[in-house]
Amino acid sequence: MGLYNTTYRVELPSRKAVVLRVAPEPRRQFRIERELMRNEHVSLPFFAPIASLMPRTLFADWTRDIAGRDYVFQTFLPGIPAPQGLRSYPRPQWTNFYRGLGALARTVHEVRGPAFGPVAGPASATWSEAVLDEITEPKLLQDAPGSANMLLSSRPRRW
């Protein structure tokens, strides 16, 4: 589970399983990755259109007092990563999966924001202050809706 953060499934006797995600130590993060988990957390309200498909954050700690790193506890979503699970579905059904993935990306990318740049800041009045002049309207850009970040049922079904 997870490629950037260290991710654990935690079994608790008092509730369903949860997920603990632990960010890399600050000194091991590249400039573009600095405080990535914090930016992800601040971005959550912008994902309201697809909130039912995402884990809920139960607790987040940015103090680094306990682990020396940022970490969050989230609800556990059952399923298997799409790159492995998709192989168990009949090939003709893959088209519907990828169409759904495209529709999901479109929904996310239609979200407008108040400024350009990382949601957690720093904010910019124009995109060209950071990257390109061609972009004129601030919208949420999510580069993670690829199949590696999706879960599928462990039992194939028809879409």
Coordinates of all heavy atoms in Angstrom, one line a residue, residues 50-146:
I50 N -16.1 14.1 -4.9 CA -15.8 12.7 -4.9 C -15.5 12.1 -3.5 O -15.0 11.1 -3.3 CB -14.7 12.3 -5.9 CG1 -13.4 13.0 -5.4 CG2 -15.0 12.7 -7.3 CD1 -12.1 12.4 -6.1
A51 N -16.0 12.8 -2.5 CA -15.7 12.5 -1.1 C -16.1 11.0 -0.7 O -15.4 10.4 0.0 CB -16.3 13.5 -0.1
S52 N -17.2 10.6 -1.3 CA -17.7 9.3 -1.0 C -16.8 8.2 -1.5 O -16.9 7.0 -1.0 CB -19.1 9.1 -1.6 OG -19.0 9.1 -3.0
L53 N -15.9 8.5 -2.4 CA -14.9 7.5 -2.9 C -13.6 7.5 -2.2 O -12.7 6.7 -2.5 CB -14.7 7.8 -4.4 CG -15.9 7.8 -5.3 CD1 -15.5 8.3 -6.7 CD2 -16.5 6.4 -5.3
M54 N -13.4 8.4 -1.2 CA -12.1 8.6 -0.6 C -12.2 8.2 0.9 O -13.3 8.2 1.5 CB -11.7 10.1 -0.7 CG -11.6 10.5 -2.1 SD -11.2 12.3 -2.2 CE -9.8 12.5 -1.3
P55 N -11.0 7.8 1.5 CA -11.0 7.6 2.9 C -11.2 8.9 3.7 O -10.9 10.0 3.2 CB -9.6 7.0 3.1 CG -8.8 7.5 2.0 CD -9.7 7.7 0.8
R56 N -11.8 8.8 4.9 CA -12.0 9.9 5.7 C -10.8 10.0 6.7 O -10.3 9.0 7.2 CB -13.2 9.8 6.6 CG -14.5 10.0 5.8 CD -15.8 10.0 6.7 NE -15.8 8.8 7.6 CZ -15.7 8.9 8.9 NH1 -15.4 10.0 9.5 NH2 -15.8 7.8 9.6
T57 N -10.3 11.2 6.9 CA -9.2 11.4 7.8 C -9.8 11.4 9.3 O -10.7 12.2 9.6 CB -8.4 12.7 7.5 OG1 -7.9 12.6 6.2 CG2 -7.3 13.0 8.5
L58 N -9.2 10.6 10.1 CA -9.7 10.4 11.5 C -8.8 11.3 12.4 O -9.3 11.8 13.4 CB -9.6 9.0 11.9 CG -10.4 8.0 11.1 CD1 -10.0 6.6 11.4 CD2 -11.9 8.3 11.2
F59 N -7.5 11.4 12.1 CA -6.6 12.2 12.9 C -5.4 12.5 12.1 O -4.9 11.7 11.3 CB -6.2 11.3 14.2 CG -5.2 12.0 15.1 CD1 -5.6 12.9 16.0 CD2 -3.9 11.7 15.0 CE1 -4.7 13.5 16.8 CE2 -2.9 12.3 15.8 CZ -3.4 13.2 16.8
A60 N -4.9 13.7 12.3 CA -3.6 14.1 11.6 C -2.7 14.8 12.6 O -3.2 15.6 13.5 CB -3.9 15.1 10.5
D61 N -1.4 14.6 12.6 CA -0.5 15.2 13.5 C 0.7 15.8 12.7 O 1.4 15.0 12.0 CB 0.0 14.2 14.5 CG 1.0 14.8 15.5 OD1 1.1 16.0 15.6 OD2 1.6 14.0 16.3
W62 N 0.8 17.1 12.8 CA 1.9 17.8 12.1 C 3.0 18.2 13.0 O 3.9 18.9 12.6 CB 1.3 19.0 11.3 CG 0.1 18.8 10.5 CD1 -1.0 19.5 10.5 CD2 -0.2 17.7 9.6 NE1 -2.0 19.0 9.6 CE2 -1.5 17.9 9.0 CE3 0.6 16.6 9.1 CZ2 -2.0 17.1 8.1 CZ3 0.0 15.8 8.2 CH2 -1.3 16.0 7.7
T63 N 2.9 17.9 14.3 CA 3.9 18.4 15.3 C 5.2 17.7 15.2 O 6.2 18.3 15.6 CB 3.3 18.2 16.7 OG1 3.3 16.8 17.0 CG2 2.0 18.9 16.9
R64 N 5.2 16.5 14.7 CA 6.4 15.6 14.6 C 7.0 15.3 16.0 O 8.1 14.9 16.1 CB 7.5 16.3 13.7 CG 7.0 16.5 12.3 CD 8.0 17.1 11.4 NE 7.5 17.2 10.0 CZ 7.8 18.1 9.2 NH1 8.7 19.0 9.5 NH2 7.3 18.2 8.0
D65 N 6.2 15.5 17.0 CA 6.6 15.2 18.4 C 6.7 13.7 18.7 O 7.6 13.3 19.4 CB 5.7 15.8 19.4 CG 5.8 17.4 19.5 OD1 6.8 17.9 19.0 OD2 4.8 18.0 20.0
I66 N 5.8 12.9 18.1 CA 5.8 11.5 18.4 C 6.7 10.7 17.5 O 7.5 9.9 17.9 CB 4.4 11.0 18.4 CG1 3.5 11.6 19.5 CG2 4.3 9.5 18.5 CD1 2.1 11.3 19.4
A67 N 6.6 10.9 16.2 CA 7.3 10.1 15.2 C 8.4 10.8 14.5 O 9.1 10.2 13.7 CB 6.3 9.6 14.2
G68 N 8.5 12.1 14.7 CA 9.5 12.9 14.0 C 9.1 13.1 12.5 O 9.9 13.6 11.7
R69 N 7.9 12.8 12.2 CA 7.3 12.9 10.9 C 5.9 13.3 11.0 O 5.2 13.1 12.0 CB 7.4 11.6 10.1 CG 8.8 11.0 10.0 CD 8.7 9.6 9.5 NE 10.0 8.9 9.5 CZ 10.3 7.9 8.8 NH1 9.4 7.4 8.0 NH2 11.5 7.3 8.9
D70 N 5.3 13.8 9.9 CA 3.9 13.9 9.8 C 3.2 12.6 9.6 O 3.8 11.7 9.0 CB 3.5 14.8 8.5 CG 4.0 16.2 8.6 OD1 4.3 16.7 9.8 OD2 4.1 16.9 7.6
Y71 N 2.0 12.4 10.2 CA 1.2 11.2 9.9 C -0.3 11.4 10.1 O -0.7 12.4 10.7 CB 1.7 10.1 10.9 CG 1.4 10.4 12.4 CD1 0.2 9.9 13.0 CD2 2.3 11.1 13.2 CE1 0.0 10.1 14.3 CE2 2.1 11.3 14.5 CZ 0.9 10.8 15.1 OH 0.6 11.1 16.4
V72 N -1.0 10.6 9.4 CA -2.5 10.6 9.5 C -3.0 9.2 9.7 O -2.4 8.3 9.2 CB -3.1 11.3 8.3 CG1 -2.7 12.7 8.1 CG2 -2.9 10.5 7.0
F73 N -4.2 9.2 10.4 CA -5.0 7.9 10.5 C -6.2 8.2 9.6 O -6.8 9.2 9.7 CB -5.4 7.6 11.9 CG -4.3 7.0 12.7 CD1 -3.5 7.8 13.5 CD2 -4.1 5.7 12.7 CE1 -2.5 7.3 14.3 CE2 -3.1 5.1 13.5 CZ -2.3 5.9 14.3
Q74 N -6.5 7.2 8.7 CA -7.7 7.3 7.9 C -8.5 6.1 7.9 O -8.0 5.0 8.3 CB -7.2 7.6 6.4 CG -6.5 8.9 6.2 CD -6.0 9.1 4.8 OE1 -5.4 8.3 4.2 NE2 -6.4 10.3 4.3
T75 N -9.7 6.2 7.5 CA -10.6 5.0 7.4 C -10.0 4.0 6.3 O -9.3 4.5 5.4 CB -12.0 5.3 7.0 OG1 -12.0 6.1 5.8 CG2 -12.7 6.1 8.1
F76 N -10.2 2.8 6.5 CA -9.7 1.7 5.6 C -10.7 1.5 4.5 O -11.9 1.3 4.8 CB -9.4 0.4 6.4 CG -9.0 -0.7 5.5 CD1 -7.7 -0.8 5.0 CD2 -9.9 -1.7 5.1 CE1 -7.3 -1.8 4.1 CE2 -9.5 -2.7 4.3 CZ -8.2 -2.8 3.8
L77 N -10.3 1.5 3.3 CA -11.2 1.2 2.2 C -10.8 -0.2 1.7 O -9.7 -0.4 1.2 CB -11.1 2.2 1.1 CG -11.5 3.7 1.4 CD1 -11.3 4.6 0.2 CD2 -12.9 3.7 1.9
P78 N -11.8 -1.1 1.6 CA -11.4 -2.4 1.2 C -11.2 -2.4 -0.4 O -11.8 -1.6 -1.1 CB -12.6 -3.3 1.6 CG -13.8 -2.3 1.6 CD -13.2 -1.0 2.1
G79 N -10.5 -3.4 -0.8 CA -10.3 -3.5 -2.3 C -8.8 -3.9 -2.5 O -8.0 -4.0 -1.6
I80 N -8.5 -4.1 -3.8 CA -7.2 -4.4 -4.2 C -6.8 -3.3 -5.2 O -7.6 -2.8 -6.0 CB -7.0 -5.8 -4.8 CG1 -8.0 -6.0 -5.9 CG2 -7.2 -6.8 -3.7 CD1 -7.9 -7.4 -6.6
P81 N -5.5 -2.9 -5.3 CA -5.0 -1.9 -6.2 C -5.4 -2.3 -7.6 O -5.3 -3.5 -8.1 CB -3.5 -1.9 -6.0 CG -3.3 -2.4 -4.6 CD -4.4 -3.4 -4.4
A82 N -5.9 -1.4 -8.4 CA -6.4 -1.6 -9.7 C -5.4 -2.3 -10.6 O -5.8 -3.2 -11.4 CB -6.9 -0.3 -10.4
P83 N -4.1 -1.9 -10.6 CA -3.2 -2.6 -11.5 C -3.2 -4.1 -11.3 O -3.0 -4.9 -12.3 CB -1.8 -2.0 -11.1 CG -2.1 -0.7 -10.6 CD -3.4 -0.8 -9.9
Q84 N -3.4 -4.6 -10.1 CA -3.5 -6.1 -9.9 C -4.9 -6.6 -10.2 O -5.1 -7.6 -10.8 CB -3.1 -6.5 -8.5 CG -1.6 -6.3 -8.2 CD -1.3 -5.2 -7.3 OE1 -2.2 -4.7 -6.6 NE2 -0.1 -4.7 -7.3
G85 N -5.9 -5.9 -9.6 CA -7.3 -6.3 -9.7 C -7.9 -6.3 -11.1 O -8.7 -7.1 -11.4
L86 N -7.5 -5.3 -11.9 CA -8.0 -5.2 -13.2 C -7.8 -6.4 -14.1 O -8.7 -6.8 -14.9 CB -7.5 -3.9 -13.9 CG -8.2 -3.4 -15.1 CD1 -9.7 -3.1 -14.7 CD2 -7.5 -2.2 -15.6
R87 N -6.7 -7.1 -13.8 CA -6.4 -8.3 -14.6 C -7.5 -9.4 -14.4 O -7.6 -10.3 -15.2 CB -5.0 -8.9 -14.2 CG -3.9 -8.0 -14.8 CD -2.6 -8.6 -14.5 NE -1.7 -7.5 -13.9 CZ -1.1 -7.6 -12.8 NH1 -1.1 -8.6 -12.1 NH2 -0.4 -6.6 -12.4
S88 N -8.2 -9.4 -13.3 CA -9.2 -10.4 -13.0 C -10.5 -10.1 -13.7 O -11.4 -11.0 -13.6 CB -9.4 -10.6 -11.5 OG -9.9 -9.5 -10.9
Y89 N -10.7 -9.0 -14.2 CA -11.9 -8.6 -14.9 C -11.8 -8.9 -16.4 O -10.7 -8.8 -17.0 CB -12.2 -7.1 -14.8 CG -12.7 -6.7 -13.4 CD1 -11.8 -6.5 -12.4 CD2 -14.0 -6.4 -13.2 CE1 -12.2 -6.2 -11.1 CE2 -14.5 -6.0 -11.9 CZ -13.6 -5.9 -10.9 OH -14.0 -5.6 -9.7
P90 N -12.8 -9.3 -17.1 CA -12.7 -9.6 -18.5 C -12.3 -8.3 -19.3 O -12.7 -7.2 -19.0 CB -14.2 -9.9 -18.9 CG -14.9 -10.3 -17.6 CD -14.2 -9.6 -16.5
R91 N -11.4 -8.5 -20.2 CA -10.8 -7.4 -20.9 C -11.8 -6.4 -21.5 O -11.6 -5.2 -21.4 CB -9.9 -7.9 -22.0 CG -9.1 -6.9 -22.8 CD -7.8 -6.7 -22.1 NE -7.0 -5.6 -22.8 CZ -5.8 -5.3 -22.5 NH1 -5.2 -6.0 -21.6 NH2 -5.2 -4.4 -23.1
P92 N -13.0 -6.8 -22.0 CA -13.9 -5.8 -22.5 C -14.5 -4.9 -21.5 O -14.9 -3.8 -21.8 CB -15.1 -6.7 -23.1 CG -14.4 -8.0 -23.4 CD -13.3 -8.2 -22.4
Q93 N -14.4 -5.3 -20.2 CA -14.9 -4.4 -19.1 C -13.9 -3.3 -18.8 O -14.2 -2.3 -18.1 CB -15.2 -5.2 -17.9 CG -16.5 -6.1 -18.1 CD -16.8 -6.8 -16.8 OE1 -16.4 -6.4 -15.7 NE2 -17.7 -7.7 -16.9
W94 N -12.6 -3.4 -19.2 CA -11.6 -2.4 -18.9 C -12.0 -1.1 -19.5 O -11.7 0.0 -18.9 CB -10.3 -2.9 -19.5 CG -9.6 -4.0 -18.8 CD1 -10.3 -5.0 -18.0 CD2 -8.3 -4.4 -18.8 NE1 -9.4 -5.9 -17.5 CE2 -8.1 -5.6 -18.0 CE3 -7.2 -3.9 -19.4 CZ2 -6.9 -6.2 -17.8 CZ3 -5.9 -4.5 -19.2 CH2 -5.8 -5.6 -18.4
T95 N -12.6 -1.1 -20.6 CA -13.0 0.2 -21.2 C -13.9 1.0 -20.3 O -13.7 2.2 -20.1 CB -13.8 0.0 -22.6 OG1 -12.9 -0.8 -23.4 CG2 -14.2 1.3 -23.2
N96 N -14.8 0.4 -19.7 CA -15.7 1.1 -18.7 C -14.9 1.6 -17.5 O -15.2 2.7 -17.0 CB -16.9 0.2 -18.3 CG -17.9 0.0 -19.4 OD1 -18.0 0.8 -20.3 ND2 -18.6 -1.1 -19.3
F97 N -14.0 0.8 -17.0 CA -13.2 1.3 -15.9 C -12.4 2.5 -16.3 O -12.4 3.5 -15.6 CB -12.1 0.2 -15.5 CG -11.1 0.6 -14.6 CD1 -11.4 0.8 -13.2 CD2 -9.8 0.9 -15.0 CE1 -10.5 1.3 -12.3 CE2 -8.9 1.4 -14.1 CZ -9.2 1.6 -12.8
Y98 N -11.8 2.5 -17.4 CA -11.0 3.7 -17.8 C -11.9 4.9 -18.2 O -11.5 6.1 -17.9 CB -10.0 3.4 -19.0 CG -8.8 2.6 -18.5 CD1 -8.7 1.2 -18.8 CD2 -7.9 3.2 -17.7 CE1 -7.6 0.5 -18.3 CE2 -6.8 2.5 -17.2 CZ -6.7 1.1 -17.5 OH -5.6 0.4 -17.0
R99 N -13.1 4.7 -18.7 CA -14.0 5.8 -18.9 C -14.4 6.4 -17.6 O -14.5 7.6 -17.4 CB -15.2 5.3 -19.7 CG -15.0 5.2 -21.1 CD -16.3 4.9 -21.9 NE -16.0 4.8 -23.3 CZ -16.5 3.8 -24.0 NH1 -17.3 2.9 -23.5 NH2 -16.2 3.7 -25.3
G100 N -14.7 5.5 -16.6 CA -15.0 6.0 -15.3 C -13.9 6.8 -14.6 O -14.1 7.8 -14.0
L101 N -12.7 6.3 -14.9 CA -11.5 7.0 -14.4 C -11.3 8.4 -15.0 O -11.0 9.4 -14.3 CB -10.2 6.1 -14.7 CG -9.0 6.4 -13.9 CD1 -9.1 6.3 -12.4 CD2 -7.9 5.5 -14.4
G102 N -11.6 8.4 -16.3 CA -11.6 9.7 -17.0 C -12.6 10.7 -16.5 O -12.4 11.9 -16.3
A103 N -13.8 10.2 -16.2 CA -14.9 11.0 -15.7 C -14.6 11.5 -14.3 O -14.8 12.7 -13.9 CB -16.2 10.2 -15.7
L104 N -13.9 10.7 -13.5 CA -13.5 11.0 -12.2 C -12.5 12.2 -12.3 O -12.5 13.2 -11.5 CB -12.9 9.8 -11.5 CG -12.5 10.0 -10.0 CD1 -13.7 10.3 -9.2 CD2 -11.9 8.7 -9.5
A105 N -11.5 12.0 -13.1 CA -10.5 13.1 -13.3 C -11.1 14.4 -13.8 O -10.7 15.4 -13.3 CB -9.4 12.6 -14.3
R106 N -12.1 14.3 -14.7 CA -12.7 15.5 -15.1 C -13.5 16.2 -14.0 O -13.4 17.4 -13.8 CB -13.7 15.1 -16.2 CG -14.5 16.3 -16.8 CD -15.4 16.0 -17.9 NE -16.1 17.2 -18.3 CZ -16.9 17.2 -19.3 NH1 -17.2 16.1 -20.0 NH2 -17.5 18.3 -19.7
T107 N -14.1 15.4 -13.1 CA -14.8 16.0 -12.0 C -13.9 16.7 -11.1 O -14.1 17.9 -10.7 CB -15.6 14.9 -11.2 OG1 -16.5 14.3 -12.1 CG2 -16.3 15.4 -10.0
V108 N -12.7 16.1 -10.8 CA -11.7 16.7 -9.9 C -11.2 18.0 -10.6 O -11.0 19.0 -10.0 CB -10.6 15.7 -9.6 CG1 -9.4 16.4 -8.9 CG2 -11.2 14.6 -8.7
H109 N -10.9 17.9 -11.9 CA -10.2 19.1 -12.6 C -11.2 20.2 -12.8 O -10.8 21.3 -13.1 CB -9.6 18.6 -13.9 CG -8.4 17.7 -13.6 ND1 -7.8 17.0 -14.6 CD2 -7.7 17.5 -12.5 CE1 -6.8 16.3 -14.1 NE2 -6.7 16.6 -12.8
E110 N -12.5 20.0 -12.6 CA -13.5 21.1 -12.7 C -13.5 21.9 -11.5 O -14.2 23.0 -11.5 CB -14.8 20.5 -13.1 CG -14.9 20.1 -14.5 CD -16.3 19.4 -14.9 OE1 -17.1 19.1 -13.9 OE2 -16.5 19.2 -16.0
V111 N -12.9 21.5 -10.4 CA -13.0 22.2 -9.1 C -12.1 23.5 -9.3 O -10.9 23.4 -9.6 CB -12.5 21.4 -8.0 CG1 -12.4 22.2 -6.7 CG2 -13.4 20.2 -7.8
R112 N -12.7 24.6 -9.0 CA -12.0 25.9 -9.1 C -11.5 26.3 -7.7 O -12.1 26.1 -6.7 CB -12.9 27.0 -9.7 CG -13.1 26.8 -11.2 CD -14.1 27.8 -11.7 NE -14.3 27.7 -13.1 CZ -14.9 26.8 -13.8 NH1 -15.4 25.8 -13.1 NH2 -15.0 26.8 -15.1
G113 N -10.3 26.9 -7.7 CA -9.7 27.4 -6.5 C -9.6 28.9 -6.4 O -9.8 29.6 -7.4
P114 N -9.2 29.4 -5.2 CA -9.1 30.8 -5.1 C -7.8 31.4 -5.6 O -7.7 32.6 -5.8 CB -9.1 31.0 -3.5 CG -8.5 29.7 -3.0 CD -9.0 28.6 -4.0
A115 N -6.8 30.5 -5.9 CA -5.5 31.0 -6.3 C -4.7 29.9 -7.0 O -5.2 28.8 -7.0 CB -4.7 31.6 -5.1
F116 N -3.6 30.2 -7.6 CA -2.7 29.2 -8.2 C -1.6 28.8 -7.2 O -1.2 29.5 -6.3 CB -2.0 29.8 -9.4 CG -3.0 30.2 -10.5 CD1 -3.5 31.4 -10.6 CD2 -3.4 29.2 -11.4 CE1 -4.3 31.8 -11.7 CE2 -4.2 29.5 -12.5 CZ -4.7 30.8 -12.6
G117 N -1.2 27.5 -7.4 CA -0.1 27.0 -6.5 C -0.6 25.9 -5.6 O -1.8 25.6 -5.6
P118 N 0.2 25.4 -4.7 CA -0.2 24.4 -3.8 C -1.4 24.9 -2.9 O -1.3 26.1 -2.5 CB 1.0 24.1 -2.9 CG 2.2 24.5 -3.8 CD 1.7 25.7 -4.6
V119 N -2.3 24.0 -2.6 CA -3.5 24.5 -1.8 C -3.0 25.1 -0.5 O -3.5 26.0 0.0 CB -4.5 23.3 -1.6 CG1 -5.6 23.8 -0.7 CG2 -5.0 22.9 -3.0
A120 N -2.0 24.4 0.1 CA -1.5 24.9 1.4 C -0.6 26.2 1.3 O -0.2 26.7 2.3 CB -0.7 23.8 2.1
G121 N -0.3 26.6 0.1 CA 0.5 27.8 -0.1 C 1.9 27.5 -0.5 O 2.3 26.3 -0.4
P122 N 2.6 28.4 -1.0 CA 2.2 29.8 -1.2 C 1.3 29.9 -2.4 O 1.4 29.2 -3.4 CB 3.6 30.5 -1.4 CG 4.5 29.5 -2.0 CD 4.0 28.1 -1.4
A123 N 0.4 30.9 -2.3 CA -0.5 31.2 -3.4 C 0.0 32.2 -4.3 O 0.8 33.1 -3.9 CB -1.9 31.6 -2.8
S124 N -0.4 32.1 -5.6 CA 0.1 33.1 -6.6 C -1.2 33.6 -7.3 O -2.1 32.9 -7.5 CB 1.0 32.4 -7.6 OG 2.1 31.9 -6.9
A125 N -1.1 34.9 -7.8 CA -2.1 35.5 -8.5 C -2.3 34.9 -9.9 O -3.3 34.8 -10.5 CB -2.0 37.0 -8.6
T126 N -1.1 34.5 -10.5 CA -1.1 33.9 -11.8 C -0.3 32.6 -11.8 O 0.7 32.5 -11.0 CB -0.5 34.9 -12.9 OG1 0.8 35.1 -12.6 CG2 -1.3 36.2 -12.9
W127 N -0.6 31.7 -12.7 CA 0.2 30.5 -12.8 C 1.6 30.8 -13.4 O 2.5 30.1 -13.0 CB -0.6 29.5 -13.8 CG 0.1 28.2 -13.8 CD1 0.7 27.6 -14.9 CD2 0.1 27.2 -12.8 NE1 1.2 26.4 -14.6 CE2 0.8 26.1 -13.3 CE3 -0.4 27.1 -11.5 CZ2 1.0 24.9 -12.5 CZ3 -0.2 26.0 -10.8 CH2 0.5 24.9 -11.3
S128 N 1.7 31.8 -14.2 CA 3.0 32.0 -14.8 C 4.1 32.4 -13.7 O 5.3 32.4 -14.0 CB 2.9 33.1 -15.8 OG 2.5 34.3 -15.3
E129 N 3.6 32.9 -12.5 CA 4.6 33.1 -11.5 C 5.4 31.9 -11.1 O 6.5 32.0 -10.6 CB 3.9 33.7 -10.2 CG 3.3 35.1 -10.4 CD 2.6 35.5 -9.1 OE1 2.8 35.0 -8.0 OE2 1.7 36.4 -9.3
A130 N 4.7 30.7 -11.4 CA 5.4 29.5 -11.1 C 5.8 28.7 -12.3 O 6.9 28.1 -12.4 CB 4.5 28.6 -10.2
V131 N 4.9 28.6 -13.3 CA 5.1 27.7 -14.4 C 4.8 28.2 -15.8 O 5.7 28.6 -16.6 CB 4.3 26.3 -14.2 CG1 4.7 25.3 -15.3 CG2 4.7 25.7 -12.9
L132 N 3.5 28.3 -16.2 CA 3.1 28.6 -17.6 C 2.2 29.8 -17.7 O 1.3 30.0 -16.9 CB 2.4 27.4 -18.2 CG 3.2 26.1 -18.2 CD1 2.3 24.9 -18.6 CD2 4.3 26.2 -19.2
D133 N 2.3 30.5 -18.8 CA 1.4 31.6 -19.1 C 0.1 31.2 -19.7 O -0.9 31.9 -19.6 CB 2.1 32.6 -20.1 CG 3.2 33.4 -19.4 OD1 3.0 33.7 -18.2 OD2 4.2 33.7 -20.1
E134 N 0.0 30.0 -20.2 CA -1.2 29.5 -20.9 C -2.4 29.3 -20.0 O -3.5 29.2 -20.4 CB -0.9 28.3 -21.8 CG 0.0 28.5 -23.0 CD 1.4 28.4 -22.6 OE1 1.8 27.8 -21.5 OE2 2.3 29.0 -23.3
I135 N -2.1 29.0 -18.8 CA -3.2 28.7 -17.8 C -3.7 30.0 -17.2 O -2.9 30.7 -16.6 CB -2.7 27.7 -16.8 CG1 -2.2 26.4 -17.5 CG2 -3.8 27.4 -15.7 CD1 -1.6 25.4 -16.6
T136 N -5.0 30.2 -17.3 CA -5.5 31.5 -16.8 C -6.5 31.4 -15.7 O -6.9 32.4 -15.1 CB -6.1 32.3 -17.9 OG1 -7.2 31.5 -18.5 CG2 -5.1 32.6 -19.0
E137 N -7.0 30.1 -15.4 CA -8.0 30.0 -14.4 C -7.6 28.9 -13.3 O -7.2 27.8 -13.7 CB -9.3 29.5 -15.0 CG -10.5 29.3 -14.1 CD -11.8 28.9 -14.8 OE1 -11.7 28.4 -15.9 OE2 -12.8 29.2 -14.3
P138 N -7.6 29.2 -12.0 CA -7.1 28.3 -11.1 C -8.1 27.1 -10.9 O -9.3 27.3 -10.6 CB -7.0 29.1 -9.8 CG -7.9 30.2 -9.9 CD -8.0 30.5 -11.4
K139 N -7.6 25.9 -11.2 CA -8.4 24.7 -11.0 C -7.6 23.6 -10.3 O -6.4 23.7 -10.3 CB -8.9 24.1 -12.4 CG -9.9 25.0 -13.1 CD -10.4 24.3 -14.3 CE -11.5 25.1 -15.0 NZ -12.0 24.3 -16.2
L140 N -8.3 22.7 -9.6 CA -7.6 21.7 -8.9 C -7.0 20.7 -9.9 O -7.7 20.2 -10.8 CB -8.6 20.9 -8.0 CG -8.0 19.8 -7.1 CD1 -7.0 20.4 -6.1 CD2 -9.1 19.1 -6.4
L141 N -5.7 20.5 -9.8 CA -5.0 19.5 -10.7 C -4.5 18.4 -9.8 O -3.7 18.6 -8.9 CB -3.8 20.2 -11.4 CG -4.2 21.3 -12.4 CD1 -2.9 21.8 -13.1 CD2 -5.1 20.7 -13.5
Q142 N -5.0 17.2 -10.1 CA -4.7 16.1 -9.3 C -4.0 15.1 -10.3 O -4.6 14.7 -11.2 CB -5.9 15.5 -8.7 CG -5.8 14.1 -8.1 CD -4.8 14.1 -6.9 OE1 -4.1 15.0 -6.6 NE2 -4.6 12.9 -6.3
D143 N -2.7 14.8 -10.0 CA -2.0 13.9 -10.9 C -2.1 12.4 -10.4 O -1.5 11.6 -11.0 CB -0.6 14.3 -11.0 CG 0.2 14.2 -9.8 OD1 -0.4 13.9 -8.7 OD2 1.5 14.3 -9.8
A144 N -2.9 12.1 -9.4 CA -2.9 10.8 -8.9 C -4.1 9.9 -9.3 O -4.3 8.9 -8.8 CB -2.8 10.8 -7.4
P145 N -5.1 10.4 -10.2 CA -6.2 9.5 -10.4 C -5.9 8.4 -11.4 O -6.7 7.8 -12.0 CB -7.3 10.4 -11.0 CG -6.5 11.5 -11.6 CD -5.3 11.7 -10.8
G146 N -4.6 8.0 -11.5 CA -4.2 6.9 -12.3 C -4.7 5.6 -11.7 O -5.0 5.6 -10.5

